[in-house]
Amino acid sequence: MELSANVNKNVPEEERQRSVEMIQYIVIRLGEEQYGIDIRNIETITRMQHVTRVPKMPAYLKGVINLRGVVIPVLSMRLRMNLAADEITKNTRILVLNLEQEGNVGFIVDEVKEVVSLNVDDIEKIGDGNKEGKASLINGVGKHNGELISLFDLNAISLEG
């Protein structure tokens, strides 16, 4: 016991705090890949429901839903990331997120898998370089139980595309 206390004293306070900082992510599935969304941005998760189409909108903007009296735009994350069209199954969900720029927005995802806690040391940031398509929506990759989870940059997601 005494030994571990001495070892911790040799590690700078800032580094000790950084190594224990955990961020929780909801892990979702789109196709065969899994993605993480910071749990602090999630308002609610709901089963797939009827989405009312809005004319003259981009294909990835599926329409709007009425959730407890609030009209929320819904977008297909598959189409937004240039993947194949959504296949609605019993596992399909709408995640309602609170985005800084857009307010509440619903994302159609294939499945909500689990909540994971990632240590900041287990997250590799991806540079801002000249990213296009789905890469522009990802800002990091987390490592959890030997698997990689692409982490969404929610600030990069907009209704305009």
Side-chain angles (χ1 to χ4, degrees):
M1 189 97 163
E2 189 104 9
L3 179 61
S4 64
N6 289 337
V7 170
N8 282 342
K9 287 180 183 175
N10 294 335
V11 178
E13 176 67 23
E14 180 182 309
E15 201 171 307
R16 260 193 313 218
Q17 283 181 345
R18 194 173 81 91
S19 67
V20 295
E21 186 180 340
M22 301 292 274
I23 302 172
Q24 286 191 308
Y25 291 90
I26 292 260
V27 177
I28 61 156
R29 185 179 57 78
L30 292 173
E32 298 302 314
E33 296 184 48
Q34 45 185 18
Y35 299 88
I37 298 174
D38 189 327
I39 202 167
R40 295 173 291 193
N41 296 96
I42 296 180
E43 291 291 320
T44 190
I45 300 171
T46 183
R47 291 186 183 279
M48 188 63 196
Q49 57 186 279
H50 173 73
V51 177
T52 303
R53 186 86 180 121
V54 177
K56 298 183 181 181
M57 296 307 279
Y60 64 83
L61 190 56
K62 301 309 277 181
V64 295
I65 60 171
N66 182 338
L67 189 64
R68 295 185 283 279
V70 178
V71 175
I72 298 173
V74 175
L75 58 95
S76 164
M77 286 308 293
R78 279 176 161 252
L79 294 179
R80 180 65 178 86
M81 296 177 65
N82 300 319
L83 300 173
D86 295 289
E87 295 174 27
I88 307 301
T89 69
K90 63 181 178 61
N91 293 326
T92 303
R93 297 289 184 267
I94 298 175
L95 271 66
V96 178
L97 306 181
N98 190 335
L99 302 182
E100 211 171 278
Q101 306 282 346
E102 307 287 349
N104 285 349
V105 177
F107 289 7
I108 299 172
V109 301
D110 293 347
E111 179 183 12
V112 175
K113 295 182 74 169
E114 62 184 324
V115 175
V116 299
S117 295
L118 296 179
N119 186 317
V120 292
D121 294 338
D122 293 330
I123 298 172
E124 292 286 326
K125 293 290 180 193
I126 295 176
D128 284 336
N130 211 359
K131 298 187 288 186
E132 294 181 17
K134 68 180 180 179
S136 67
L137 301 175
I138 305 298
N139 69 354
V141 176
K143 294 171 238 158
H144 180 71
N145 291 341
E147 294 185 333
L148 297 178
I149 302 168
S150 298
L151 304 176
F152 278 119
D153 177 3
L154 296 179
N155 295 323
I157 298 172
S158 71
L159 298 179
E160 279 88 47

